[in-house]
Amino acid sequence: MDASDFGADRFVTLRGLAVPVPADAYRLLLNLEVRAFNVSREGDRVLVVEPHQRLTPEDLASIRRWKWHLLILIDYCNQPHLDAHLFDNRAADSRRLA
């Protein structure tokens, strides 16, 4: 499967998550991670993407569109009992230290 297989009407099913998430939200989180953004949540409703100065207008529009799904994916990634994560936090931590 390549990127052209994903569309606005496509969903991704993740083990341990009760409902599928839109593929576009999933790809957005992966894209932000690859570009070395730190994506986290504060409380129930606040999505934090740092460094925010590097976000493009397209990034901001996508983040606004998929905010609630991104929060779900962040919660999913933070579940220590799952062995399947979207990204490896150890790799992200090593980039921050470099």
Side-chain angles (χ1 to χ4, degrees), residues 76-90:
Y76 176 80
C77 292
N78 288 329
Q79 293 182 49
H81 66 280
L82 291 178
D83 61 358
H85 295 279
L86 299 184
F87 50 82
D88 185 347
N89 286 327
R90 291 170 295 165

Side-chain angles (χ1 to χ4, degrees), residues 26-59:
Y26 177 85
R27 288 187 327 154
L28 174 59
L29 186 58
L30 289 175
N31 179 279
L32 292 169
E33 171 66 14
V34 166
R35 292 168 48 208
F37 283 93
N38 182 23
V39 183
S40 61
R41 77 178 309 149
E42 288 182 5
D44 291 337
R45 297 176 173 236
V46 178
L47 179 67
V48 179
V49 182
E50 296 177 320
H52 66 275
Q53 301 89 341
R54 288 189 14 237
L55 292 169
T56 67
E58 293 80 16
D59 291 332

Side-chain angles (χ1 to χ4, degrees), residues 13-27:
T13 302
L14 301 169
R15 183 177 15 167
L17 194 58
V19 295
V21 293
D24 288 344
Y26 177 85
R27 288 187 327 154

Side-chain angles (χ1 to χ4, degrees), residues 5-18:
D5 292 329
F6 289 106
D9 61 342
R10 306 277 177 143
F11 293 86
V12 176
T13 302
L14 301 169
R15 183 177 15 167
L17 194 58

